[in-house]
Protein backbone atom coordinates (compact mmCIF):
# COMPACT_ATOMS: atom_id res chain seq x y z
CA UNK A 1 0.00 0.00 0.00
CA UNK A 2 1.39 3.38 -0.98
CA UNK A 3 0.91 6.19 1.47
CA UNK A 4 1.83 9.82 1.58
CA UNK A 5 3.55 10.69 4.90
CA UNK A 6 2.22 7.33 6.19
CA UNK A 7 -1.27 8.81 6.55
CA UNK A 8 -2.84 9.29 3.12
CA UNK A 9 -3.68 6.51 0.69
CA UNK A 10 -2.52 7.57 -2.77
CA UNK A 11 -3.80 4.57 -4.74
CA UNK A 12 -6.44 1.86 -4.51
CA UNK A 13 -6.16 -1.83 -5.36
CA UNK A 14 -9.00 -3.32 -7.41
CA UNK A 15 -9.72 -6.96 -6.57
CA UNK A 16 -11.47 -7.41 -9.92
CA UNK A 17 -13.81 -10.22 -10.93
CA UNK A 18 -11.45 -13.11 -10.14
CA UNK A 19 -8.07 -13.89 -8.60
CA UNK A 20 -7.46 -16.91 -10.86
CA UNK A 21 -5.00 -16.15 -13.67
CA UNK A 22 -6.57 -18.71 -16.05
CA UNK A 23 -10.07 -17.37 -15.43
CA UNK A 24 -8.83 -13.80 -15.93
CA UNK A 25 -7.48 -14.71 -19.39
CA UNK A 26 -10.81 -16.28 -20.29
CA UNK A 27 -12.71 -13.23 -19.01
CA UNK A 28 -10.37 -10.97 -20.97
CA UNK A 29 -11.39 -12.66 -24.24
CA UNK A 30 -15.10 -12.59 -23.34
CA UNK A 31 -15.15 -8.94 -22.31
CA UNK A 32 -13.00 -7.96 -25.27
CA UNK A 33 -15.74 -9.36 -27.53
CA UNK A 34 -18.36 -7.55 -25.44
CA UNK A 35 -16.46 -4.27 -25.74
CA UNK A 36 -16.07 -4.66 -29.50
CA UNK A 37 -19.84 -5.26 -29.75
CA UNK A 38 -20.54 -2.18 -27.60
CA UNK A 39 -18.32 0.09 -29.69
CA UNK A 40 -19.45 -1.21 -33.09
CA UNK A 41 -23.15 -1.42 -32.19
CA UNK A 42 -23.51 2.00 -30.61
CA UNK A 43 -21.24 3.66 -33.16
CA UNK A 44 -23.37 2.15 -35.93
CA UNK A 45 -26.53 3.68 -34.44
CA UNK A 46 -24.89 7.11 -34.00
CA UNK A 47 -23.59 7.10 -37.60
CA UNK A 48 -26.89 5.80 -39.00
CA UNK A 49 -28.95 8.47 -37.27
CA UNK A 50 -26.53 11.21 -38.31
CA UNK A 51 -26.41 9.99 -41.91
CA UNK A 52 -30.17 9.59 -42.43
CA UNK A 53 -32.00 12.92 -42.73
CA UNK A 54 -35.37 11.30 -41.96
CA UNK A 55 -34.14 9.73 -38.72
CA UNK A 56 -32.30 12.87 -37.66
CA UNK A 57 -35.49 14.91 -37.99
CA UNK A 58 -37.41 12.44 -35.83
CA UNK A 59 -37.24 13.29 -32.09
CA UNK A 60 -37.24 9.60 -31.09
CA UNK A 61 -34.20 8.75 -33.21
CA UNK A 62 -32.49 12.00 -32.30
CA UNK A 63 -32.72 10.93 -28.64
CA UNK A 64 -31.69 7.38 -29.56
CA UNK A 65 -28.51 8.71 -31.17
CA UNK A 66 -27.63 10.51 -27.94
CA UNK A 67 -28.44 7.39 -25.90
CA UNK A 68 -26.04 5.32 -28.00
CA UNK A 69 -23.36 7.99 -27.65
CA UNK A 70 -23.75 7.92 -23.85
CA UNK A 71 -23.58 4.10 -23.81
CA UNK A 72 -20.43 4.23 -25.92
CA UNK A 73 -18.79 6.72 -23.55
CA UNK A 74 -20.02 4.91 -20.42
CA UNK A 75 -18.40 1.65 -21.50
CA UNK A 76 -15.12 3.50 -22.11
CA UNK A 77 -15.07 4.61 -18.46
CA UNK A 78 -14.80 1.09 -17.04
CA UNK A 79 -14.17 -1.60 -19.67
CA UNK A 80 -10.71 -0.61 -21.03
CA UNK A 81 -9.33 -0.44 -17.48
CA UNK A 82 -10.92 -3.79 -16.67
CA UNK A 83 -9.42 -5.39 -19.80
CA UNK A 84 -5.97 -4.09 -18.89
CA UNK A 85 -6.31 -5.39 -15.33
CA UNK A 86 -7.15 -8.90 -16.58
CA UNK A 87 -3.61 -9.08 -18.02
CA UNK A 88 -1.71 -7.98 -14.90
CA UNK A 89 -1.48 -9.03 -11.30
CA UNK A 90 -1.35 -5.57 -9.74
CA UNK A 91 -4.70 -3.86 -10.38
CA UNK A 92 -4.23 -0.35 -9.01
CA UNK A 93 -5.75 3.05 -9.68
CA UNK A 94 -4.41 6.39 -8.45
CA UNK A 95 -6.36 8.76 -6.23
CA UNK A 96 -7.17 11.19 -9.03
CA UNK A 97 -7.91 8.27 -11.36
CA UNK A 98 -10.53 6.99 -8.94
CA UNK A 99 -12.10 10.46 -8.69
CA UNK A 100 -12.19 10.76 -12.49
CA UNK A 101 -13.83 7.34 -12.85
CA UNK A 102 -16.49 8.19 -10.26
CA UNK A 103 -17.14 11.55 -11.92
CA UNK A 104 -17.60 10.23 -15.46
CA UNK A 105 -19.48 7.12 -14.33
CA UNK A 106 -22.10 9.20 -12.51
CA UNK A 107 -22.10 12.00 -15.08
CA UNK A 108 -22.90 9.64 -17.95
CA UNK A 109 -25.13 7.37 -15.86
CA UNK A 110 -27.32 10.21 -14.58
CA UNK A 111 -27.45 11.81 -18.05
CA UNK A 112 -28.68 8.48 -19.43
CA UNK A 113 -31.39 8.22 -16.76
CA UNK A 114 -32.65 11.72 -17.54
CA UNK A 115 -32.51 10.98 -21.29
CA UNK A 116 -34.58 7.80 -20.86
CA UNK A 117 -37.15 9.86 -18.96
CA UNK A 118 -37.21 12.35 -21.85
CA UNK A 119 -37.64 9.47 -24.31
CA UNK A 120 -40.62 8.23 -22.30
CA UNK A 121 -42.16 11.73 -22.52
CA UNK A 122 -41.49 11.72 -26.26
CA UNK A 123 -43.37 8.40 -26.65
CA UNK A 124 -46.19 9.72 -24.47
CA UNK A 125 -46.70 12.77 -26.71
CA UNK A 126 -46.37 10.67 -29.90
CA UNK A 127 -49.01 8.14 -28.83
CA UNK A 128 -51.38 10.17 -26.66
CA UNK A 129 -51.28 13.39 -28.70
CA UNK A 130 -50.20 12.32 -32.23
CA UNK A 131 -51.78 15.25 -34.12
CA UNK A 132 -49.63 17.78 -32.25
CA UNK A 133 -46.54 15.59 -31.85
CA UNK A 134 -44.20 17.42 -34.23
CA UNK A 135 -45.45 20.78 -32.98
CA UNK A 136 -44.80 19.89 -29.34
CA UNK A 137 -41.58 17.97 -29.88
CA UNK A 138 -39.97 20.56 -32.13
CA UNK A 139 -36.24 20.71 -32.74
CA UNK A 140 -35.67 23.55 -30.27
CA UNK A 141 -37.39 21.64 -27.45
CA UNK A 142 -35.41 18.49 -28.28
CA UNK A 143 -32.14 20.42 -28.06
CA UNK A 144 -33.19 21.98 -24.76
CA UNK A 145 -34.20 18.60 -23.30
CA UNK A 146 -30.90 16.97 -24.28
CA UNK A 147 -28.97 19.93 -22.88
CA UNK A 148 -30.96 19.64 -19.64
CA UNK A 149 -30.07 15.94 -19.43
CA UNK A 150 -26.35 16.68 -19.71
CA UNK A 151 -26.64 19.51 -17.16
CA UNK A 152 -28.53 17.26 -14.75
CA UNK A 153 -25.84 14.61 -15.11
CA UNK A 154 -23.12 17.16 -14.42
CA UNK A 155 -24.84 18.50 -11.28
CA UNK A 156 -25.44 14.99 -9.96
CA UNK A 157 -21.88 13.88 -10.65
CA UNK A 158 -20.12 16.91 -9.25
CA UNK A 159 -22.21 16.56 -6.08
CA UNK A 160 -21.03 12.97 -5.68
CA UNK A 161 -17.39 13.96 -6.17
CA UNK A 162 -17.65 16.82 -3.65
CA UNK A 163 -19.01 14.37 -1.07
CA UNK A 164 -16.27 11.76 -1.51
CA UNK A 165 -13.26 14.03 -2.12
CA UNK A 166 -13.42 15.23 1.49
CA UNK A 167 -13.20 11.71 2.94
CA UNK A 168 -9.87 10.76 4.56
CA UNK A 169 -8.32 7.44 3.51
CA UNK A 170 -5.62 6.17 5.83
CA UNK A 171 -6.24 2.44 6.21
CA UNK A 172 -7.06 -0.45 3.84
CA UNK A 173 -7.06 0.43 0.15
CA UNK A 174 -8.61 -2.67 -1.48
CA UNK A 175 -11.83 -2.22 -3.48
CA UNK A 176 -13.85 -5.37 -4.06
CA UNK A 177 -14.87 -4.47 -7.61
CA UNK A 178 -13.43 -4.02 -11.10
CA UNK A 179 -13.92 -0.24 -11.12
CA UNK A 180 -14.12 2.59 -8.60
CA UNK A 181 -17.56 3.47 -7.31
CA UNK A 182 -18.82 5.18 -4.20
CA UNK A 183 -20.35 2.19 -2.32
CA UNK A 184 -16.97 0.42 -2.22
CA UNK A 185 -14.80 3.51 -1.75
CA UNK A 186 -16.79 5.01 1.12
CA UNK A 187 -16.28 1.88 3.26
CA UNK A 188 -12.52 2.53 3.26
CA UNK A 189 -12.76 6.01 4.77
CA UNK A 190 -11.25 6.29 8.25
CA UNK A 191 -14.16 8.25 9.73
CA UNK A 192 -17.84 7.86 10.51
CA UNK A 193 -19.50 8.04 7.06
CA UNK A 194 -23.14 7.72 8.13
CA UNK A 195 -24.12 11.27 7.11
CA UNK A 196 -22.24 11.01 3.81
CA UNK A 197 -23.91 7.66 3.07
CA UNK A 198 -27.35 9.15 3.72
CA UNK A 199 -26.59 12.07 1.40
CA UNK A 200 -25.28 9.80 -1.35
CA UNK A 201 -28.21 7.38 -1.06
CA UNK A 202 -30.55 10.39 -1.18
CA UNK A 203 -28.75 11.58 -4.30
CA UNK A 204 -28.02 8.46 -6.36
CA UNK A 205 -30.57 6.07 -4.87
CA UNK A 206 -33.56 8.39 -4.94
CA UNK A 207 -32.60 9.69 -8.39
CA UNK A 208 -32.66 6.13 -9.75
CA UNK A 209 -35.90 5.23 -7.99
CA UNK A 210 -37.80 8.42 -8.88
CA UNK A 211 -36.79 8.25 -12.55
CA UNK A 212 -37.70 4.56 -12.65
CA UNK A 213 -41.16 5.16 -11.12
CA UNK A 214 -41.81 8.10 -13.46
CA UNK A 215 -40.87 5.92 -16.42
CA UNK A 216 -43.09 3.05 -15.31
CA UNK A 217 -46.01 5.44 -14.78
CA UNK A 218 -45.45 7.03 -18.21
CA UNK A 219 -45.43 3.69 -20.02
CA UNK A 220 -48.45 2.50 -18.01
CA UNK A 221 -50.39 5.56 -19.26
CA UNK A 222 -49.18 4.87 -22.80
CA UNK A 223 -50.26 1.21 -22.67
CA UNK A 224 -53.68 2.16 -21.27
CA UNK A 225 -54.07 4.72 -24.06
CA UNK A 226 -53.19 2.13 -26.69
CA UNK A 227 -55.69 -0.29 -25.21
CA UNK A 228 -58.62 2.12 -24.86
CA UNK A 229 -58.25 4.04 -28.13
CA UNK A 230 -58.10 2.96 -31.71
CA UNK A 231 -54.63 3.84 -32.82
CA UNK A 232 -53.23 3.38 -36.31
CA UNK A 233 -49.87 1.67 -36.10
CA UNK A 234 -50.64 0.23 -32.67
CA UNK A 235 -48.32 -2.77 -33.11
CA UNK A 236 -45.43 -0.48 -34.04
CA UNK A 237 -46.09 1.69 -30.98
CA UNK A 238 -46.26 -1.38 -28.74
CA UNK A 239 -43.00 -2.68 -30.19
CA UNK A 240 -41.27 0.66 -29.56
CA UNK A 241 -42.57 0.85 -25.98
CA UNK A 242 -41.52 -2.74 -25.32
CA UNK A 243 -37.98 -1.93 -26.49
CA UNK A 244 -37.84 1.11 -24.24
CA UNK A 245 -39.16 -0.84 -21.22
CA UNK A 246 -36.51 -3.54 -21.68
CA UNK A 247 -33.76 -0.93 -21.79
CA UNK A 248 -35.22 0.91 -18.79
CA UNK A 249 -35.34 -2.29 -16.73
CA UNK A 250 -31.77 -3.29 -17.64
CA UNK A 251 -30.46 0.11 -16.54
CA UNK A 252 -32.59 1.02 -13.53
CA UNK A 253 -32.94 -2.29 -11.70
CA UNK A 254 -29.15 -2.63 -11.10
CA UNK A 255 -28.86 1.06 -10.16
CA UNK A 256 -31.72 0.89 -7.66
CA UNK A 257 -30.24 -2.29 -6.16
CA UNK A 258 -26.73 -0.83 -5.83
CA UNK A 259 -27.50 2.70 -4.63
CA UNK A 260 -30.82 2.55 -2.77
CA UNK A 261 -29.57 0.58 0.22
CA UNK A 262 -26.93 0.87 2.96
CA UNK A 263 -23.40 0.53 1.61
CA UNK A 264 -22.78 -3.10 2.51
CA UNK A 265 -21.46 -5.86 0.27
CA UNK A 266 -23.55 -8.58 -1.36
CA UNK A 267 -22.29 -11.47 -3.45
CA UNK A 268 -24.32 -10.30 -6.48
CA UNK A 269 -22.99 -6.71 -6.46
CA UNK A 270 -20.41 -7.43 -9.15
CA UNK A 271 -23.03 -9.15 -11.32
CA UNK A 272 -25.23 -6.03 -11.20
CA UNK A 273 -22.17 -3.85 -11.89
CA UNK A 274 -21.32 -5.91 -14.98
CA UNK A 275 -24.92 -5.60 -16.19
CA UNK A 276 -24.96 -1.83 -15.74
CA UNK A 277 -21.55 -1.05 -17.25
CA UNK A 278 -21.13 -3.79 -19.89
CA UNK A 279 -24.20 -5.89 -20.71
CA UNK A 280 -26.73 -3.05 -21.01
CA UNK A 281 -24.61 -0.87 -23.36
CA UNK A 282 -24.04 -4.00 -25.48
CA UNK A 283 -27.71 -5.01 -25.64
CA UNK A 284 -29.18 -1.56 -26.30
CA UNK A 285 -28.20 -1.48 -30.01
CA UNK A 286 -29.59 -5.01 -30.50
CA UNK A 287 -32.85 -4.16 -28.76
CA UNK A 288 -33.40 -0.98 -30.74
CA UNK A 289 -32.32 -2.27 -34.16
CA UNK A 290 -33.78 -5.80 -34.18
CA UNK A 291 -37.24 -4.51 -33.20
CA UNK A 292 -37.19 -1.36 -35.33
CA UNK A 293 -37.98 -1.42 -39.04
CA UNK A 294 -36.94 2.22 -39.60
CA UNK A 295 -33.47 1.63 -38.15
CA UNK A 296 -32.96 -1.54 -40.19
CA UNK A 297 -34.09 0.26 -43.35
CA UNK A 298 -31.73 3.19 -42.66
CA UNK A 299 -28.83 0.80 -42.03
CA UNK A 300 -29.46 -1.01 -45.32
CA UNK A 301 -29.54 2.35 -47.11
CA UNK A 302 -26.27 3.36 -45.42
CA UNK A 303 -24.66 0.05 -46.42
CA UNK A 304 -25.76 0.41 -50.05
CA UNK A 305 -24.44 3.97 -50.09
CA UNK A 306 -21.12 2.78 -48.67
CA UNK A 307 -20.87 -0.04 -51.22
CA UNK A 308 -21.70 2.35 -54.08
CA UNK A 309 -19.02 4.76 -52.86
CA UNK A 310 -16.38 2.04 -52.52
CA UNK A 311 -17.28 0.29 -55.80
CA UNK A 312 -18.63 3.01 -58.11
CA UNK A 313 -18.15 0.93 -61.30
CA UNK A 314 -20.00 -2.18 -60.11
CA UNK A 315 -23.22 -3.04 -61.87
Amino acid sequence: MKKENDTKVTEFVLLGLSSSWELQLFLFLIFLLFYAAIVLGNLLIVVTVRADAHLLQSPMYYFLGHLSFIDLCLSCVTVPKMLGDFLQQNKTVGFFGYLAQIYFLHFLGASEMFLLTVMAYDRYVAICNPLHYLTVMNRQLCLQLVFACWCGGFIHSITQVILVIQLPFCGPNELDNFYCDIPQVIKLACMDTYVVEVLIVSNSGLLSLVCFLVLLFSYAVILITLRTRFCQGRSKALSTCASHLIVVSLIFVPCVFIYLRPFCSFSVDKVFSVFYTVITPMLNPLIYTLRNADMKKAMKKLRKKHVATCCPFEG
Side-chain angles (χ1 to χ4, degrees):
M1 182 194 311
K2 291 186 180 179
K3 295 184 180 181
E4 187 181 287
N5 298 328
D6 293 326
T7 57
K8 270 192 177 180
V9 172
T10 58
E11 70 176 22
F12 294 96
V13 178
L14 301 173
L15 299 183
L17 296 177
S18 172
S19 58
S20 167
W21 178 245
E22 292 77 11
L23 183 57
Q24 286 188 78
L25 291 177
F26 174 75
L27 290 174
F28 170 78
L29 295 175
I30 295 297
F31 280 96
L32 182 62
L33 293 175
F34 286 169
Y35 186 54
I38 291 170
V39 173
L40 293 176
N42 286 289
L43 198 58
L44 179 60
I45 289 181
V46 172
V47 171
T48 301
V49 172
R50 295 293 301 176
D52 192 287
H54 172 69
L55 293 184
L56 193 58
Q57 293 301 316
S58 169
M60 183 180 77
Y61 295 108
Y62 175 74
F63 294 138
L64 177 58
H66 280 274
L67 180 66
S68 292
F69 177 72
I70 290 176
D71 278 335
L72 180 62
C73 295
L74 184 61
S75 66
C76 294
V77 174
T78 57
V79 182
K81 169 65 176 170
M82 178 175 60
L83 291 174
D85 287 343
F86 281 139
L87 301 179
Q88 54 188 355
Q89 294 293 340
N90 296 321
K91 306 173 180 63
T92 60
V93 59
F95 185 78
F96 291 105
Y98 112 83
L99 284 178
Q101 198 168 56
I102 286 177
Y103 170 78
F104 285 109
L105 183 71
H106 285 267
F107 171 53
L108 295 166
S111 298
E112 184 168 36
M113 289 182 183
F114 292 133
L115 184 60
L116 287 169
T117 308
V118 167
M119 292 175 72
Y121 173 71
D122 171 70
R123 290 301 84 205
Y124 170 80
V125 176
I127 293 170
C128 300
N129 194 12
L131 296 179
H132 300 92
Y133 173 60
L134 292 179
T135 303
V136 175
M137 298 301 296
N138 55 69
R139 177 45 62 97
Q140 183 178 359
L141 179 62
C142 290
L143 289 171
Q144 290 172 346
L145 289 172
V146 169
F147 180 71
C149 291
W150 288 108
C151 289
F154 171 78
I155 293 170
H156 164 76
S157 182
I158 204 68
T159 303
Q160 301 290 86
V161 172
I162 290 172
L163 288 173
V164 300
I165 199 173
Q166 304 175 58
L167 297 176
F169 298 100
C170 50
N173 66 339
E174 291 186 341
L175 298 175
D176 189 18
N177 211 333
F178 59 92
Y179 66 94
C180 295
D181 200 7
I182 293 174
Q184 293 81 35
V185 170
I186 201 171
K187 291 184 295 185
L188 303 181
C190 48
M191 62 170 283
D192 183 7
T193 59
Y194 176 77
V195 175
V196 179
E197 286 187 37
V198 171
L199 291 173
I200 291 174
V201 168
S202 301
N203 192 336
S204 295
L206 287 182
L207 172 65
S208 303
L209 182 62
V210 170
C211 287
F212 190 37
L213 293 177
V214 169
L215 285 164
L216 291 179
F217 177 77
S218 300
Y219 285 113
V221 172
I222 291 171
L223 292 174
I224 292 171
T225 303
L226 288 173
R227 185 179 179 182
T228 56
R229 297 183 190 176
F230 174 78
C231 202
Q232 188 177 6
R234 179 179 298 178
S235 61
K236 181 179 179 181
L238 284 171
S239 177
T240 302
C241 289
S243 300
H244 287 199
L245 279 171
I246 292 171
V247 171
V248 163
S249 300
L250 288 172
I251 290 174
F252 280 92
V253 171
C255 288
V256 170
F257 177 81
I258 291 172
Y259 298 111
L260 196 66
R261 60 176 171 83
F263 290 161
C264 52
S265 298
F266 289 95
S267 57
V268 294
D269 281 356
K270 290 182 184 180
V271 175
F272 279 99
S273 296
V274 168
F275 254 93
Y276 174 60
T277 59
V278 182
I279 303 301
T280 301
M282 181 183 67
L283 291 181
N284 280 357
L286 295 175
I287 293 169
Y288 281 110
T289 55
L290 291 179
R291 299 178 62 90
N292 193 298
D294 290 337
M295 281 297 300
K296 288 189 282 189
K297 182 180 177 181
M299 286 178 179
K300 288 179 182 178
K301 189 192 301 183
L302 182 64
R303 185 179 62 189
K304 289 179 181 178
K305 183 179 179 181
H306 177 70
V307 171
T309 304
C310 294
C311 309
F313 300 109
E314 277 194 8

